[in-house]
Amino acid sequence: MPVPRLYEAFSEPREQWVHVLATLLQLGSAETRDALVTELLGDPVPGTDHMLVSERRVVGRGDEAVTFDITLRNGDDWVVGIISDFSFNVDRATRIAAAQAALGSAARTVLIVVSPDRRQPAAIAAASGEVIHKSWLRIRDWVQERPERGAATGVDLALLLQAEYFYTPRVAELYRLEELMPQVAPDLREAFASIFLALNDLAPAPTIVHPTDSTAEVRYPRTGDANVTITTGGGHPVVAVVGGAGVAIGSDAALAAARSQILADARRALPPRK
């Protein structure tokens, strides 16, 4: 579907982050769009001033369907597909191969993987074709640098400042998760990051304590009071709201089933955000 959809709210943190990036790519001036695509690709390409930007584009059907977070297309000259996640140190080889196959035909096809990994993951280095890694940290840095380096004004300046307000505190919290991720099974890291960041929007900068060397407890709010906690260790995160039983996040489906109730209970248990 096309962007922008400025007034549509997203409940999933990753969709929020992607939407901010897609909005910059669609609504920025020709200069800003060109600079951002150049940052993503590592080199300039012609046609960014009239490229088609789509968000959450589903390609294929059934089990073979691939959802691209963002696609950029300039006719038959080039197409860029962007996929993203919040997982640290996981194997993305299968997902990368499926996304590359779904990109279709153009003179140049590029797949960009946006993840928290500070260094290029092995699966990207080993992939055939043009696959590029970008960290969320680098995207945050570009947004922070662009107003000064590009002397942005008007709509560009407003978009970039709002993007900076959005990304700066959230990216900082994403990288606080880095030390906790080894305590979470690889296939659960995306779900763990999702609920961590969703609760962080209700009570920013939670306190993280380590009862033992192999376990950790994330306490919301930042005062350290355990109104809401996420406990790691043993591979399966457990979310608990004061006065209620803990919910084990043993799969993406388990989180999807429990998410609404967890957040509703958390809103009642946490102090209002100032």
Side-chain angles (χ1 to χ4, degrees):
M1 58 185 68
V3 295
R5 302 187 306 281
L6 284 180
Y7 302 109
E8 182 168 344
F10 295 85
S11 59
E12 175 60 42
R14 190 174 61 83
E15 292 180 355
Q16 297 170 3
W17 292 39
V18 165
H19 186 57
V20 172
L21 179 59
T23 300
L24 290 173
L25 286 162
Q26 176 64 29
L27 286 186
S29 67
E31 184 180 65
T32 291
R33 284 153 61 95
D34 184 64
L36 182 47
V37 172
T38 298
E39 167 62 33
L40 293 172
L41 294 181
D43 58 67
V45 293
T48 56
D49 54 335
H50 54 263
M51 66 184 176
L52 176 65
V53 182
S54 299
E55 188 175 0
R56 294 196 57 75
R57 183 183 178 193
V58 180
V59 180
R61 296 181 179 180
D63 294 339
E64 296 182 355
V66 173
T67 300
F68 289 98
D69 291 319
I70 304 170
T71 57
L72 314 174
R73 178 177 287 277
N74 180 35
D76 293 328
D77 292 337
W78 51 262
V79 60
V80 177
I82 301 175
I83 59 175
S84 68
D85 61 59
F86 289 150
S87 298
F88 291 82
N89 301 318
V90 296
D91 184 2
R92 301 178 180 88
T94 300
R95 188 182 180 202
I96 288 171
Q100 282 187 292
L103 270 176
S105 60
R108 182 182 181 186
T109 59
V110 185
L111 178 66
I112 297 174
V113 182
V114 184
S115 80
D117 301 288
R118 297 175 188 268
R119 298 181 179 180
Q120 178 177 255
I124 294 177
S128 59
E130 195 169 1
V131 184
I132 297 171
H133 174 251
K134 286 292 175 181
S135 70
W136 284 110
L137 187 62
R138 177 56 202 152
I139 289 177
R140 190 282 312 271
D141 288 349
W142 185 90
V143 168
Q144 287 182 330
E145 295 164 2
R146 183 64 188 164
E148 179 181 348
R149 292 169 61 183
T153 59
V155 172
D156 269 5
L157 181 60
L159 288 172
L160 288 161
L161 287 177
Q162 290 301 316
E164 181 180 351
Y165 294 151
F166 180 90
Y167 278 133
T168 296
R170 289 171 172 85
V171 169
E173 288 305 309
L174 177 62
Y175 284 91
R176 291 182 72 205
L177 284 174
E178 194 167 9
E179 64 176 298
L180 303 180
M181 283 293 180
Q183 299 177 8
V184 178
D187 61 329
L188 299 178
R189 289 176 186 174
E190 182 75 6
F192 172 48
S194 174
I195 194 62
F196 176 99
L197 292 167
L199 290 169
N200 182 73
D201 283 344
L202 300 179
T207 298
I208 300 176
V209 297
H210 298 270
T212 71
D213 292 339
S214 59
T215 62
E217 186 175 82
V218 184
R219 296 176 180 174
Y220 302 83
R222 65 183 301 170
T223 57
D225 298 325
N227 294 36
V228 182
T229 62
I230 306 177
T231 304
T232 64
H236 293 73
V238 176
V239 184
V241 179
V242 63
V247 177
I249 307 301
S251 65
D252 290 341
L255 175 60
R259 179 188 179 88
S260 294
Q261 190 63 55
I262 290 171
L263 294 179
D265 291 343
R267 287 188 181 94
R268 289 192 291 269
L270 291 168
R273 182 172 178 176
K274 297 180 180 179

